[in-house]
Amino acid sequence: MGLRAQISDALDAAGLSGADYNEVGEGSWPSAFAVSDLAVASIGAACAELAALTERKDPVRIDRRLASHWFSLTVQPQGWELPPVWDDLAGVYPALDGFVRLHTNAPHHKAAALRALGCEADRAAMEVRISQMTAQAVQDAVVADIGCAARFMSLAEWTEHPQGQAVAAEPLIDWHEHGKAASMWRPGASDRPLAGLKVLDLTRVLAGPVCTRTLAGFGADVLRIDPPGWGEALVETEVTPGKRLATLDVKTSDGLRMLQTLLSEADVLVHGYRRDALDALGLGGDERRVINPGLIDVALNAYGWTGPWSARRGFDSLVQMSSGIAHQGMVWKGADAPVPLPVQALDFATGYLMAAVVIRALRLKLKTGRASSARLSLARTSALLASVPADNDGCLFSPVSKADLTYDVEMTDWGPARRVKFPADLPMRWSRPARRLHADPPQWG
C-alpha cells in the first residue's frame, strides 16, 4: 500500500471519511526512500483536511516540487545569513565496531554527552574517545546520563530489535475518543479558516513546531510555551511565524498553575514531551481531560509509545540512525559511512500529519460533539517511509529561485526574509513574523 493510502486509512480510523487532493509536477529528492512522495502525502493530507473543514468543492492541488522544498528551509534571508544548523559536536562518529550519532544542539544534551564520555568540548578529542568504545557502549553511556545518542543499525537489526517490533505493531495515528463536550468554535472566513482556534503549543524541534506553524498559517491562535533559557538556533526562523512565544517555568507552583489555566482555555493541545513527562507534572491524560473535557489533544513521541525505548529522548537524525534509514542510504549510495535522508523528512512529515490530525479532530467534533486525542511518533513515520519503494524518477527538481518566493517581505528578528511559496492552492499567511522565543506574555490574545 502506498504512502497516500496508508495516511488516508490512518486518518479515517478516527471515524470520519477523508478528503482528497491532486498532485502536479515532478521531481524527487535523491534518496533511498520516497521522500518527495512523503512530502506530497503529508502536506496533502493536512491541506485536504482543511478543504473538507471549509466544505471546498474542488480538490486541493499540491505542487510536488514546492512540497519537496517545504520539507527543508522555507525562509530565504534577504541580506543576512542563517545561523548554523548543528552544534560543533553533533554528528556521526566512527566507533570500534560501527558508528554512533550524538545530538548536542541543546546545551544540557551537550553537557550530558561530555559527562558520559569523560571528554572535553573538542571535536577531535571526542573522535578519539568514541573510537575507543563500541557504538553500543557510547549510546548506553550517553542515554544513561540523560543525553541523546543513537548507534547505527540496519533495517534488519531494527526489525529484530524489541523497540522496532513495538513500533511496527503501533498504528500510524493512535486515536482515542473521550465523550462529548460543547464547542463554541466554528470555522472562520475562507482566507483564515482556523481563526479563533486556541492552540496550546508545548513542542520543541522540529515536528511539533511544524504542526503548529501550519495551524497558525491557517489562522489559528497558537501560544507556544518554553522553559526559561530554551533556544532552538536555526529553526526559530522556520517555526515561530504566526505564534505567540511565551515562557513558563512549570516546575514552580505559579508556572504550573498558569499552564493549567491556559490548558483550560485551549481548544487544542499539541505536545511533544516524552511519554511520562506531563504525568510527572500531574498533567497526565486523565488530568488534562478533567481540566478541559472538550480538549483536542495531539501528542508526539520520538521512539514510539510502547516498548523499552518509549520514554527515550530522540530526534529525527537519531531515529534515522536507529531505524535503519541511514544504513539503507549508505547501501543505496555505496558509501562507507551512514547516509541520512537529504532533509529531516521524519520531522516534517510527522508535523504535517499532526496538523492533519488536529483538523480531522475538529471536523469530527463539529459533526458529533466528540473530543479526540491522537498519538504519533517519528519512529512510526520512519516505518511508514520504509514500507514503500523509493520514488526516484530520474527527474531532480531545480533549487529554489526568486520565482518560487512570496512577494511579501517578512521582517523577522534576524532581518528581512521571504518564504518559499506554499505548495497548495490554499491561503498560508502568518499574523506575526518569525521571532526569537520568549517574546510574549503567557496569555491568549
Side-chain angles (χ1 to χ4, degrees), residues 415-434:
R418 294 168 71 188
R419 296 271 171 181
V420 177
K421 293 175 182 175
F422 191 56
D425 55 343
L426 289 172
M428 170 62 66
R429 62 180 179 86
W430 296 291
S431 58
R432 298 172 179 81

PDB file of all heavy atoms in Angstrom, residues 415-434:
ATOM      1  N   GLY A 415      16.287  39.775  10.497  1.00  0.00           N
ATOM      2  CA  GLY A 415      16.404  40.592   9.309  1.00  0.00           C
ATOM      3  C   GLY A 415      15.284  40.282   8.334  1.00  0.00           C
ATOM      4  O   GLY A 415      14.483  39.363   8.557  1.00  0.00           O
ATOM      5  N   PRO A 416      15.203  41.034   7.227  1.00  0.00           N
ATOM      6  CA  PRO A 416      14.137  40.794   6.253  1.00  0.00           C
ATOM      7  C   PRO A 416      14.313  39.450   5.549  1.00  0.00           C
ATOM      8  O   PRO A 416      15.434  39.008   5.302  1.00  0.00           O
ATOM      9  CB  PRO A 416      14.284  41.965   5.272  1.00  0.00           C
ATOM     10  CG  PRO A 416      15.713  42.398   5.401  1.00  0.00           C
ATOM     11  CD  PRO A 416      16.085  42.149   6.832  1.00  0.00           C
ATOM     12  N   ALA A 417      13.187  38.794   5.259  1.00  0.00           N
ATOM     13  CA  ALA A 417      13.230  37.487   4.606  1.00  0.00           C
ATOM     14  C   ALA A 417      12.000  37.321   3.729  1.00  0.00           C
ATOM     15  O   ALA A 417      10.995  38.013   3.889  1.00  0.00           O
ATOM     16  CB  ALA A 417      13.291  36.369   5.645  1.00  0.00           C
ATOM     17  N   ARG A 418      12.101  36.400   2.798  1.00  0.00           N
ATOM     18  CA  ARG A 418      10.953  35.955   2.023  1.00  0.00           C
ATOM     19  C   ARG A 418      10.821  34.452   2.221  1.00  0.00           C
ATOM     20  O   ARG A 418      11.761  33.791   2.672  1.00  0.00           O
ATOM     21  CB  ARG A 418      11.120  36.316   0.536  1.00  0.00           C
ATOM     22  CG  ARG A 418      11.108  37.829   0.305  1.00  0.00           C
ATOM     23  CD  ARG A 418      11.562  38.186  -1.089  1.00  0.00           C
ATOM     24  NE  ARG A 418      10.551  37.808  -2.086  1.00  0.00           N
ATOM     25  CZ  ARG A 418      10.766  37.874  -3.407  1.00  0.00           C
ATOM     26  NH1 ARG A 418      11.946  38.271  -3.867  1.00  0.00           N
ATOM     27  NH2 ARG A 418       9.817  37.532  -4.250  1.00  0.00           N
ATOM     28  N   ARG A 419       9.659  33.924   1.910  1.00  0.00           N
ATOM     29  CA  ARG A 419       9.388  32.499   2.101  1.00  0.00           C
ATOM     30  C   ARG A 419       9.161  31.818   0.761  1.00  0.00           C
ATOM     31  O   ARG A 419       8.680  32.425  -0.193  1.00  0.00           O
ATOM     32  CB  ARG A 419       8.128  32.307   2.956  1.00  0.00           C
ATOM     33  CG  ARG A 419       8.227  32.830   4.358  1.00  0.00           C
ATOM     34  CD  ARG A 419       8.753  31.821   5.325  1.00  0.00           C
ATOM     35  NE  ARG A 419       9.041  32.435   6.625  1.00  0.00           N
ATOM     36  CZ  ARG A 419       9.541  31.779   7.659  1.00  0.00           C
ATOM     37  NH1 ARG A 419       9.788  30.485   7.563  1.00  0.00           N
ATOM     38  NH2 ARG A 419       9.798  32.407   8.792  1.00  0.00           N
ATOM     39  N   VAL A 420       9.507  30.548   0.718  1.00  0.00           N
ATOM     40  CA  VAL A 420       9.126  29.727  -0.429  1.00  0.00           C
ATOM     41  C   VAL A 420       7.604  29.632  -0.461  1.00  0.00           C
ATOM     42  O   VAL A 420       6.960  29.465   0.590  1.00  0.00           O
ATOM     43  CB  VAL A 420       9.754  28.323  -0.334  1.00  0.00           C
ATOM     44  CG1 VAL A 420       9.301  27.446  -1.496  1.00  0.00           C
ATOM     45  CG2 VAL A 420      11.279  28.420  -0.291  1.00  0.00           C
ATOM     46  N   LYS A 421       7.026  29.760  -1.630  1.00  0.00           N
ATOM     47  CA  LYS A 421       5.573  29.714  -1.755  1.00  0.00           C
ATOM     48  C   LYS A 421       5.019  28.395  -1.218  1.00  0.00           C
ATOM     49  O   LYS A 421       5.622  27.327  -1.405  1.00  0.00           O
ATOM     50  CB  LYS A 421       5.165  29.872  -3.224  1.00  0.00           C
ATOM     51  CG  LYS A 421       5.461  31.241  -3.807  1.00  0.00           C
ATOM     52  CD  LYS A 421       5.131  31.273  -5.296  1.00  0.00           C
ATOM     53  CE  LYS A 421       5.464  32.631  -5.898  1.00  0.00           C
ATOM     54  NZ  LYS A 421       5.259  32.639  -7.376  1.00  0.00           N
ATOM     55  N   PHE A 422       3.875  28.478  -0.576  1.00  0.00           N
ATOM     56  CA  PHE A 422       3.226  27.275  -0.057  1.00  0.00           C
ATOM     57  C   PHE A 422       2.827  26.375  -1.223  1.00  0.00           C
ATOM     58  O   PHE A 422       2.345  26.858  -2.254  1.00  0.00           O
ATOM     59  CB  PHE A 422       2.001  27.668   0.763  1.00  0.00           C
ATOM     60  CG  PHE A 422       1.401  26.547   1.550  1.00  0.00           C
ATOM     61  CD1 PHE A 422       2.173  25.840   2.457  1.00  0.00           C
ATOM     62  CD2 PHE A 422       0.065  26.192   1.378  1.00  0.00           C
ATOM     63  CE1 PHE A 422       1.619  24.800   3.197  1.00  0.00           C
ATOM     64  CE2 PHE A 422      -0.490  25.155   2.111  1.00  0.00           C
ATOM     65  CZ  PHE A 422       0.290  24.458   3.021  1.00  0.00           C
ATOM     66  N   PRO A 423       3.012  25.053  -1.094  1.00  0.00           N
ATOM     67  CA  PRO A 423       2.786  24.158  -2.239  1.00  0.00           C
ATOM     68  C   PRO A 423       1.333  23.903  -2.595  1.00  0.00           C
ATOM     69  O   PRO A 423       1.064  23.267  -3.623  1.00  0.00           O
ATOM     70  CB  PRO A 423       3.475  22.860  -1.810  1.00  0.00           C
ATOM     71  CG  PRO A 423       3.519  22.915  -0.323  1.00  0.00           C
ATOM     72  CD  PRO A 423       3.661  24.359   0.029  1.00  0.00           C
ATOM     73  N   ALA A 424       0.389  24.348  -1.779  1.00  0.00           N
ATOM     74  CA  ALA A 424      -1.031  24.095  -2.058  1.00  0.00           C
ATOM     75  C   ALA A 424      -1.729  25.396  -2.450  1.00  0.00           C
ATOM     76  O   ALA A 424      -1.305  26.486  -2.067  1.00  0.00           O
ATOM     77  CB  ALA A 424      -1.712  23.497  -0.837  1.00  0.00           C
ATOM     78  N   ASP A 425      -2.812  25.253  -3.198  1.00  0.00           N
ATOM     79  CA  ASP A 425      -3.608  26.431  -3.567  1.00  0.00           C
ATOM     80  C   ASP A 425      -4.594  26.761  -2.452  1.00  0.00           C
ATOM     81  O   ASP A 425      -5.812  26.760  -2.624  1.00  0.00           O
ATOM     82  CB  ASP A 425      -4.313  26.227  -4.913  1.00  0.00           C
ATOM     83  CG  ASP A 425      -5.178  24.988  -4.957  1.00  0.00           C
ATOM     84  OD1 ASP A 425      -5.009  24.103  -4.094  1.00  0.00           O
ATOM     85  OD2 ASP A 425      -6.026  24.887  -5.859  1.00  0.00           O
ATOM     86  N   LEU A 426      -4.017  27.027  -1.288  1.00  0.00           N
ATOM     87  CA  LEU A 426      -4.746  27.430  -0.083  1.00  0.00           C
ATOM     88  C   LEU A 426      -4.032  28.625   0.532  1.00  0.00           C
ATOM     89  O   LEU A 426      -2.809  28.770   0.368  1.00  0.00           O
ATOM     90  CB  LEU A 426      -4.762  26.291   0.949  1.00  0.00           C
ATOM     91  CG  LEU A 426      -5.619  25.065   0.663  1.00  0.00           C
ATOM     92  CD1 LEU A 426      -5.327  23.997   1.705  1.00  0.00           C
ATOM     93  CD2 LEU A 426      -7.096  25.419   0.661  1.00  0.00           C
ATOM     94  N   PRO A 427      -4.741  29.479   1.245  1.00  0.00           N
ATOM     95  CA  PRO A 427      -4.076  30.611   1.886  1.00  0.00           C
ATOM     96  C   PRO A 427      -3.186  30.149   3.037  1.00  0.00           C
ATOM     97  O   PRO A 427      -3.620  29.391   3.897  1.00  0.00           O
ATOM     98  CB  PRO A 427      -5.238  31.472   2.392  1.00  0.00           C
ATOM     99  CG  PRO A 427      -6.371  30.513   2.554  1.00  0.00           C
ATOM    100  CD  PRO A 427      -6.198  29.487   1.478  1.00  0.00           C
ATOM    101  N   MET A 428      -1.931  30.572   3.018  1.00  0.00           N
ATOM    102  CA  MET A 428      -0.989  30.292   4.106  1.00  0.00           C
ATOM    103  C   MET A 428      -0.296  31.612   4.429  1.00  0.00           C
ATOM    104  O   MET A 428       0.581  32.057   3.690  1.00  0.00           O
ATOM    105  CB  MET A 428       0.023  29.224   3.701  1.00  0.00           C
ATOM    106  CG  MET A 428       1.198  29.011   4.663  1.00  0.00           C
ATOM    107  SD  MET A 428       0.763  28.453   6.319  1.00  0.00           S
ATOM    108  CE  MET A 428       0.109  26.810   5.988  1.00  0.00           C
ATOM    109  N   ARG A 429      -0.721  32.250   5.488  1.00  0.00           N
ATOM    110  CA  ARG A 429      -0.084  33.503   5.882  1.00  0.00           C
ATOM    111  C   ARG A 429      -0.124  33.612   7.408  1.00  0.00           C
ATOM    112  O   ARG A 429      -0.998  33.047   8.058  1.00  0.00           O
ATOM    113  CB  ARG A 429      -0.764  34.706   5.238  1.00  0.00           C
ATOM    114  CG  ARG A 429      -2.226  34.906   5.609  1.00  0.00           C
ATOM    115  CD  ARG A 429      -2.813  36.123   4.910  1.00  0.00           C
ATOM    116  NE  ARG A 429      -4.222  36.323   5.241  1.00  0.00           N
ATOM    117  CZ  ARG A 429      -4.668  36.982   6.300  1.00  0.00           C
ATOM    118  NH1 ARG A 429      -3.784  37.503   7.159  1.00  0.00           N
ATOM    119  NH2 ARG A 429      -5.960  37.136   6.523  1.00  0.00           N
ATOM    120  N   TRP A 430       0.857  34.333   7.939  1.00  0.00           N
ATOM    121  CA  TRP A 430       1.008  34.428   9.383  1.00  0.00           C
ATOM    122  C   TRP A 430       0.798  35.853   9.849  1.00  0.00           C
ATOM    123  O   TRP A 430       1.215  36.811   9.183  1.00  0.00           O
ATOM    124  CB  TRP A 430       2.394  33.934   9.800  1.00  0.00           C
ATOM    125  CG  TRP A 430       2.604  32.488   9.490  1.00  0.00           C
ATOM    126  CD1 TRP A 430       1.993  31.433  10.094  1.00  0.00           C
ATOM    127  CD2 TRP A 430       3.466  31.931   8.492  1.00  0.00           C
ATOM    128  NE1 TRP A 430       2.434  30.251   9.552  1.00  0.00           N
ATOM    129  CE2 TRP A 430       3.339  30.525   8.557  1.00  0.00           C
ATOM    130  CE3 TRP A 430       4.346  32.468   7.564  1.00  0.00           C
ATOM    131  CZ2 TRP A 430       4.051  29.674   7.730  1.00  0.00           C
ATOM    132  CZ3 TRP A 430       5.051  31.623   6.734  1.00  0.00           C
ATOM    133  CH2 TRP A 430       4.902  30.240   6.820  1.00  0.00           C
ATOM    134  N   SER A 431       0.174  35.998  10.999  1.00  0.00           N
ATOM    135  CA  SER A 431      -0.116  37.318  11.550  1.00  0.00           C
ATOM    136  C   SER A 431       1.105  37.959  12.190  1.00  0.00           C
ATOM    137  O   SER A 431       1.111  39.158  12.457  1.00  0.00           O
ATOM    138  CB  SER A 431      -1.242  37.211  12.587  1.00  0.00           C
ATOM    139  OG  SER A 431      -0.871  36.304  13.619  1.00  0.00           O
ATOM    140  N   ARG A 432       2.142  37.152  12.451  1.00  0.00           N
ATOM    141  CA  ARG A 432       3.382  37.665  13.034  1.00  0.00           C
ATOM    142  C   ARG A 432       4.560  37.081  12.277  1.00  0.00           C
ATOM    143  O   ARG A 432       4.505  35.938  11.840  1.00  0.00           O
ATOM    144  CB  ARG A 432       3.499  37.259  14.516  1.00  0.00           C
ATOM    145  CG  ARG A 432       2.423  37.800  15.427  1.00  0.00           C
ATOM    146  CD  ARG A 432       2.528  37.172  16.814  1.00  0.00           C
ATOM    147  NE  ARG A 432       1.520  37.698  17.723  1.00  0.00           N
ATOM    148  CZ  ARG A 432       0.252  37.280  17.746  1.00  0.00           C
ATOM    149  NH1 ARG A 432      -0.148  36.317  16.923  1.00  0.00           N
ATOM    150  NH2 ARG A 432      -0.602  37.820  18.595  1.00  0.00           N
ATOM    151  N   PRO A 433       5.645  37.855  12.158  1.00  0.00           N
ATOM    152  CA  PRO A 433       6.840  37.309  11.512  1.00  0.00           C
ATOM    153  C   PRO A 433       7.566  36.342  12.445  1.00  0.00           C
ATOM    154  O   PRO A 433       7.228  36.226  13.633  1.00  0.00           O
ATOM    155  CB  PRO A 433       7.688  38.560  11.251  1.00  0.00           C
ATOM    156  CG  PRO A 433       7.316  39.487  12.367  1.00  0.00           C
ATOM    157  CD  PRO A 433       5.840  39.246  12.605  1.00  0.00           C
ATOM    158  N   ALA A 434       8.568  35.657  11.922  1.00  0.00           N
ATOM    159  CA  ALA A 434       9.412  34.809  12.769  1.00  0.00           C
ATOM    160  C   ALA A 434      10.145  35.680  13.777  1.00  0.00           C
ATOM    161  O   ALA A 434      10.690  36.732  13.439  1.00  0.00           O
ATOM    162  CB  ALA A 434      10.412  34.050  11.903  1.00  0.00           C
TER     163      ALA A 434
END
